[in-house]
Amino acid sequence: MPAKTILLVEDDREIRTLLSDFLAGEGFEVDVADGGETMDRVIARRSPDLVVLDLMLPGEDGLSICRRLRARGDVPILILTAKTDETERIVGLELGADDYLGKPFNPRELLARIRAILRRAGGTPAEPPRRRLAFATFVADLDARYLETTAGARVPLTSAEFDLLACLLERPRRVLSRDQLLDWTRGRTADPLDRTIDVTMSRLRRKLETVDSAAGVLITTVRNGGYLFAAEVREA
């Protein structure tokens, strides 16, 4: 298998060099950029499999870059941010980032999160049959990891959004707590105070409603309980 390509967007030269050398030593192809303009030139030469994006950048800030990356495609994005800056972290997730990591951090944790995102984004089945579940006017392929309408149009979801949808589809009409959803989608990296489930759920709802506004309420919020997938789920 060819090595995965990581694009590291970080203006601090020392951190950039340290992380680049570390990730290269773990078998990745690593491209680096110190800001938005350099990033655009790098992407024009080679499309990355994942972008590690610092939010505190000179010139164009990381949130603006995140917005541009998500507008042009579904490349996984892991944002780096100050641990205490919850607002920027939440905004980054709302813009479509797949995960975040607070500074300072252990490079080994960064590596674990990168590998987890790439597994989620690139998992495909070795052979048929694949697990396909249908609901309303949608069909989700849980092994090939995509969502489409029954007419065959793909619905663009980030890996985090698809993970959450898969959890709901495999447990329809059950109240699932935020802690359960965090555990199933994030595992050991989950923080009990993590609000990313709510942010990701909001994004997922908007996308489903935008594609099929006539489907009614597919995901309901249960007060003091969590979330429930209300639609009928069937094998496709």
Side-chain angles (χ1 to χ4, degrees):
M1 293 293 290
K4 295 291 187 180
T5 300
I6 306 296
L7 173 54
L8 174 62
V9 186
E10 166 65 64
D11 66 310
D12 187 301
R13 179 180 299 178
E14 184 176 350
I15 294 176
R16 193 168 63 238
T17 301
L18 174 67
L19 292 181
S20 176
D21 291 345
F22 173 75
L23 293 173
E26 295 294 331
F28 293 101
E29 295 285 341
V30 184
D31 291 326
V32 297
D34 59 5
E37 291 186 9
T38 311
M39 181 197 73
D40 290 336
R41 291 195 295 269
V42 171
I43 291 177
R45 295 195 307 267
R46 177 165 67 169
S47 297
D49 294 299
L50 182 143
V51 176
V52 177
L53 175 64
D54 184 21
L55 291 187
M56 298 295 291
L57 295 170
E60 183 182 12
D61 64 64
L63 292 177
S64 174
I65 292 174
C66 182
R67 184 183 295 107
R68 288 202 293 113
L69 286 171
R70 186 52 66 230
R72 70 170 62 167
D74 294 324
V75 59
I77 302 169
L78 189 156
I79 58 176
L80 302 178
T81 182
K83 276 188 173 180
T84 57
D85 200 344
E86 184 180 27
T87 300
E88 282 197 342
R89 186 178 72 214
I90 295 298
V91 171
L93 292 168
E94 288 177 336
L95 291 175
D98 294 88
D99 201 355
Y100 65 89
L101 187 59
K103 291 183 176 181
F105 57 85
N106 187 315
R108 285 287 171 187
E109 183 176 3
L110 174 65
L111 176 64
R113 288 176 182 259
I114 287 174
R115 286 176 171 166
I117 294 172
L118 290 174
R119 282 197 302 270
R120 295 196 300 262
T124 55
E127 58 185 47
R130 297 202 297 259
R131 295 178 300 156
R132 290 168 57 86
L133 297 177
F135 63 97
T137 58
F138 299 93
V139 177
D141 191 316
L142 301 187
D143 292 308
R145 295 182 60 80
Y146 66 79
L147 177 69
E148 65 182 5
T149 67
T150 50
R154 289 290 178 98
V155 181
L157 298 180
T158 67
S159 60
E161 291 162 359
F162 191 88
D163 286 343
L164 192 54
L165 176 63
C167 283
L168 295 170
L169 293 179
E170 291 176 327
R171 304 164 182 84
R173 297 179 178 177
R174 285 174 49 189
V175 178
L176 306 178
S177 70
R178 289 172 178 81
D179 287 344
Q180 286 177 312
L181 292 170
L182 270 172
D183 184 56
W184 287 324
T185 59
R186 298 282 298 279
R188 294 183 179 180
T189 65
D191 182 332
L193 300 179
D194 202 323
R195 294 173 51 198
T196 58
I197 287 296
D198 299 309
V199 175
T200 308
M201 188 72 75
S202 178
R203 290 203 320 255
L204 176 61
R205 278 172 162 165
R206 285 199 300 268
K207 289 184 178 182
L208 295 177
E209 291 169 0
T210 298
V211 174
D212 187 359
S213 59
V217 178
L218 298 175
I219 304 169
T220 62
T221 302
V222 179
R223 187 172 183 179
N224 298 324
Y227 295 98
L228 178 145
F229 195 80
E232 177 188 357
V233 178
R234 58 195 183 278
E235 295 287 338

